Amino acid sequence: MSERRALLRRIRVWLAVFIVCLVLSGLTAFPLVHELHWLEDLMKASASPVPEHFPALMEWIERVRAGLDATDEKYPFVLYGTDWLAFAHLVIAVAFYGPYRDPVRNIWVIEFGMIACAGIIPLALICGPIRGIPFWWSVIDMSFGVFGVIPLYVVRRKIKRLETLTAQAEGPVPAAATV
């Protein structure tokens, strides 16, 4: 297998993992009420160390679950916003098919994703306190940007290498004729 083919394969593997993570992240935003009930039950299970060792986390999960229950009961239309959040994740995942198909031509999607990952940090730092989110939870939110940018950075570097290899394989570009 040529170096270009191997590089393209590695790019596609990284992108496939990234796409799957985006899809899973999106799909989990649909059933939030049920997920919070399952999470709370899991954390309260007899084998769980969370209530004893992480009481603040347990209190936060209980508060979020109670808030979602009240919202779902009285104002279910508010949860429509999380449906749009889920949809946005799915649409963004589809956008990464472009670089999967043609990485060099669609490197801009990777760079856009990197910018979006960087944008998570100011969003969490500004909106978290405004919405009463505990700082440690904002740190968890910011970690999605930090961990999301890592595979995109790796892919971008690999695409740049692929671009160089492709240019070398095609040879010099003839100069444009002057009029």
Side-chain angles (χ1 to χ4, degrees):
M1 186 183 311
S2 74
E3 185 179 356
R4 284 179 60 233
R5 283 193 118 145
L7 192 53
L8 181 60
R9 181 175 162 80
R10 287 192 296 273
I11 289 168
R12 287 181 171 162
V13 167
W14 276 96
L15 284 172
V17 169
F18 191 79
I19 290 168
V20 166
C21 289
L22 272 172
V23 168
L24 291 175
S25 178
L27 292 177
T28 61
F30 285 114
L32 282 180
V33 175
H34 299 294
E35 287 173 340
L36 259 293
H37 280 273
W38 297 332
L39 180 60
E40 186 180 27
D41 291 345
L42 182 67
M43 292 177 125
K44 286 183 174 179
S46 60
S48 173
V50 175
E52 181 182 341
H53 298 292
F54 304 101
L57 175 60
M58 194 69 235
E59 289 172 20
W60 176 247
I61 296 301
E62 289 170 345
R63 180 175 181 211
V64 171
R65 194 254 326 128
L68 281 173
D69 282 346
T71 302
D72 190 34
E73 182 182 323
K74 294 181 181 182
Y75 312 104
F77 56 86
V78 173
L79 295 176
Y80 188 51
T82 61
D83 296 337
W84 279 103
L85 170 71
F87 178 71
H89 278 79
L90 300 176
V91 169
I92 292 167
V94 170
F96 280 90
Y97 178 68
Y100 183 90
R101 219 178 74 237
D102 187 348
V104 173
R105 192 166 90 194
N106 293 298
I107 193 170
W108 69 270
V109 177
I110 304 302
E111 293 166 344
F112 171 81
M114 293 172 75
I115 292 166
C117 286
I120 291 171
I121 293 170
L123 177 81
L125 289 173
I126 294 166
C127 294
I130 291 171
R131 301 290 184 203
I133 306 297
F135 179 73
W136 55 267
W137 195 265
S138 292
V139 171
I140 292 170
D141 289 340
M142 288 184 282
S143 74
F144 284 94
V146 172
F147 290 120
V149 80
I150 292 169
L152 294 177
Y153 177 74
V154 169
V155 166
R156 186 180 183 285
R157 286 188 56 203
K158 290 182 182 310
I159 291 172
K160 286 297 194 181
R161 176 72 181 134
L162 179 64
E163 183 178 37
T164 301
L165 290 173
T166 302
Q168 288 173 352
E170 292 173 355
V173 177
T178 57
V179 180

mmCIF file of all heavy atoms in Angstrom, residues 9 25 54 63 72 87 93-94 119 124 126 144 159 162 179:
data_model
loop_
_atom_site.group_PDB
_atom_site.id
_atom_site.type_symbol
_atom_site.label_atom_id
_atom_site.label_comp_id
_atom_site.label_asym_id
_atom_site.label_seq_id
_atom_site.Cartn_x
_atom_site.Cartn_y
_atom_site.Cartn_z
ATOM 1 N N ARG A 9 -6.307 6.320 4.526
ATOM 2 C CA ARG A 9 -7.021 5.351 5.378
ATOM 3 C C ARG A 9 -7.022 5.813 6.839
ATOM 4 O O ARG A 9 -8.047 5.778 7.517
ATOM 5 C CB ARG A 9 -6.376 3.976 5.244
ATOM 6 C CG ARG A 9 -7.037 2.899 6.063
ATOM 7 C CD ARG A 9 -6.384 1.548 5.764
ATOM 8 N NE ARG A 9 -6.646 0.565 6.767
ATOM 9 C CZ ARG A 9 -7.771 -0.125 6.861
ATOM 10 N NH1 ARG A 9 -8.737 0.072 6.006
ATOM 11 N NH2 ARG A 9 -7.925 -1.022 7.807
ATOM 12 N N SER A 25 -23.408 11.627 20.504
ATOM 13 C CA SER A 25 -23.658 12.808 21.324
ATOM 14 C C SER A 25 -25.009 13.411 20.972
ATOM 15 O O SER A 25 -25.773 13.812 21.859
ATOM 16 C CB SER A 25 -22.535 13.821 21.105
ATOM 17 O OG SER A 25 -22.770 14.978 21.849
ATOM 18 N N PHE A 54 -18.973 11.667 46.386
ATOM 19 C CA PHE A 54 -19.196 12.835 45.523
ATOM 20 C C PHE A 54 -20.592 13.410 45.761
ATOM 21 O O PHE A 54 -21.430 13.432 44.857
ATOM 22 C CB PHE A 54 -19.037 12.452 44.046
ATOM 23 C CG PHE A 54 -17.707 11.833 43.720
ATOM 24 C CD1 PHE A 54 -17.587 10.456 43.585
ATOM 25 C CD2 PHE A 54 -16.584 12.628 43.552
ATOM 26 C CE1 PHE A 54 -16.360 9.881 43.284
ATOM 27 C CE2 PHE A 54 -15.357 12.059 43.252
ATOM 28 C CZ PHE A 54 -15.240 10.673 43.124
ATOM 29 N N ARG A 63 -30.808 17.682 41.158
ATOM 30 C CA ARG A 63 -31.378 18.991 40.818
ATOM 31 C C ARG A 63 -31.724 19.072 39.333
ATOM 32 O O ARG A 63 -32.794 19.565 38.955
ATOM 33 C CB ARG A 63 -30.390 20.095 41.200
ATOM 34 C CG ARG A 63 -30.905 21.467 40.887
ATOM 35 C CD ARG A 63 -29.961 22.535 41.396
ATOM 36 N NE ARG A 63 -30.523 23.841 41.078
ATOM 37 C CZ ARG A 63 -29.803 24.901 40.827
ATOM 38 N NH1 ARG A 63 -28.491 24.849 40.901
ATOM 39 N NH2 ARG A 63 -30.376 26.042 40.528
ATOM 40 N N ASP A 72 -40.616 19.087 31.829
ATOM 41 C CA ASP A 72 -41.348 18.131 30.998
ATOM 42 C C ASP A 72 -42.832 18.106 31.351
ATOM 43 O O ASP A 72 -43.688 18.001 30.476
ATOM 44 C CB ASP A 72 -40.731 16.741 31.144
ATOM 45 C CG ASP A 72 -41.269 15.744 30.133
ATOM 46 O OD1 ASP A 72 -41.568 16.155 28.987
ATOM 47 O OD2 ASP A 72 -41.391 14.555 30.481
ATOM 48 N N PHE A 87 -30.323 17.517 16.800
ATOM 49 C CA PHE A 87 -30.333 17.642 15.344
ATOM 50 C C PHE A 87 -29.057 18.322 14.847
ATOM 51 O O PHE A 87 -28.460 17.898 13.855
ATOM 52 C CB PHE A 87 -31.576 18.414 14.897
ATOM 53 C CG PHE A 87 -31.646 18.643 13.423
ATOM 54 C CD1 PHE A 87 -31.910 17.595 12.550
ATOM 55 C CD2 PHE A 87 -31.443 19.909 12.892
ATOM 56 C CE1 PHE A 87 -31.975 17.807 11.178
ATOM 57 C CE2 PHE A 87 -31.506 20.130 11.527
ATOM 58 C CZ PHE A 87 -31.774 19.076 10.662
ATOM 59 N N ALA A 93 -22.290 16.168 12.021
ATOM 60 C CA ALA A 93 -21.667 14.881 11.693
ATOM 61 C C ALA A 93 -21.720 14.634 10.185
ATOM 62 O O ALA A 93 -20.737 14.168 9.588
ATOM 63 C CB ALA A 93 -22.360 13.751 12.449
ATOM 64 N N VAL A 94 -22.840 14.962 9.555
ATOM 65 C CA VAL A 94 -22.973 14.787 8.103
ATOM 66 C C VAL A 94 -21.952 15.666 7.369
ATOM 67 O O VAL A 94 -21.380 15.247 6.358
ATOM 68 C CB VAL A 94 -24.414 15.104 7.640
ATOM 69 C CG1 VAL A 94 -24.510 15.173 6.126
ATOM 70 C CG2 VAL A 94 -25.386 14.067 8.187
ATOM 71 N N GLY A 119 -14.585 27.402 20.533
ATOM 72 C CA GLY A 119 -15.692 28.231 20.977
ATOM 73 C C GLY A 119 -16.446 27.682 22.171
ATOM 74 O O GLY A 119 -17.147 28.421 22.870
ATOM 75 N N ALA A 124 -18.888 28.106 27.680
ATOM 76 C CA ALA A 124 -19.054 27.519 29.011
ATOM 77 C C ALA A 124 -18.681 28.507 30.108
ATOM 78 O O ALA A 124 -19.351 28.576 31.141
ATOM 79 C CB ALA A 124 -18.216 26.242 29.131
ATOM 80 N N ILE A 126 -18.798 31.795 29.977
ATOM 81 C CA ILE A 126 -19.722 32.934 30.044
ATOM 82 C C ILE A 126 -21.132 32.477 30.428
ATOM 83 O O ILE A 126 -21.732 32.997 31.370
ATOM 84 C CB ILE A 126 -19.748 33.694 28.697
ATOM 85 C CG1 ILE A 126 -18.385 34.348 28.438
ATOM 86 C CG2 ILE A 126 -20.867 34.733 28.673
ATOM 87 C CD1 ILE A 126 -18.180 34.840 27.019
ATOM 88 N N PHE A 144 -15.157 18.765 26.319
ATOM 89 C CA PHE A 144 -15.605 18.303 25.008
ATOM 90 C C PHE A 144 -14.890 19.071 23.900
ATOM 91 O O PHE A 144 -14.548 18.502 22.863
ATOM 92 C CB PHE A 144 -17.125 18.437 24.873
ATOM 93 C CG PHE A 144 -17.881 17.380 25.616
ATOM 94 C CD1 PHE A 144 -18.338 17.612 26.898
ATOM 95 C CD2 PHE A 144 -18.104 16.143 25.051
ATOM 96 C CE1 PHE A 144 -19.021 16.645 27.601
ATOM 97 C CE2 PHE A 144 -18.783 15.156 25.731
ATOM 98 C CZ PHE A 144 -19.249 15.405 27.016
ATOM 99 N N ILE A 159 -3.954 15.539 6.771
ATOM 100 C CA ILE A 159 -4.434 16.067 5.489
ATOM 101 C C ILE A 159 -3.360 16.929 4.845
ATOM 102 O O ILE A 159 -3.135 16.854 3.625
ATOM 103 C CB ILE A 159 -5.749 16.856 5.665
ATOM 104 C CG1 ILE A 159 -6.894 15.904 6.028
ATOM 105 C CG2 ILE A 159 -6.085 17.630 4.390
ATOM 106 C CD1 ILE A 159 -8.187 16.599 6.406
ATOM 107 N N LEU A 162 -0.957 14.622 3.354
ATOM 108 C CA LEU A 162 -1.548 14.028 2.152
ATOM 109 C C LEU A 162 -1.500 15.021 0.992
ATOM 110 O O LEU A 162 -1.188 14.657 -0.142
ATOM 111 C CB LEU A 162 -2.988 13.599 2.417
ATOM 112 C CG LEU A 162 -3.745 12.979 1.249
ATOM 113 C CD1 LEU A 162 -3.099 11.662 0.826
ATOM 114 C CD2 LEU A 162 -5.208 12.761 1.624
ATOM 115 N N VAL A 179 -0.536 36.443 -21.729
ATOM 116 C CA VAL A 179 -1.143 37.030 -22.934
ATOM 117 C C VAL A 179 -0.441 38.283 -23.331
ATOM 118 O O VAL A 179 0.073 39.047 -22.643
ATOM 119 C CB VAL A 179 -2.655 37.310 -22.706
ATOM 120 C CG1 VAL A 179 -3.254 37.907 -23.937
ATOM 121 C CG2 VAL A 179 -3.340 36.063 -22.290
#
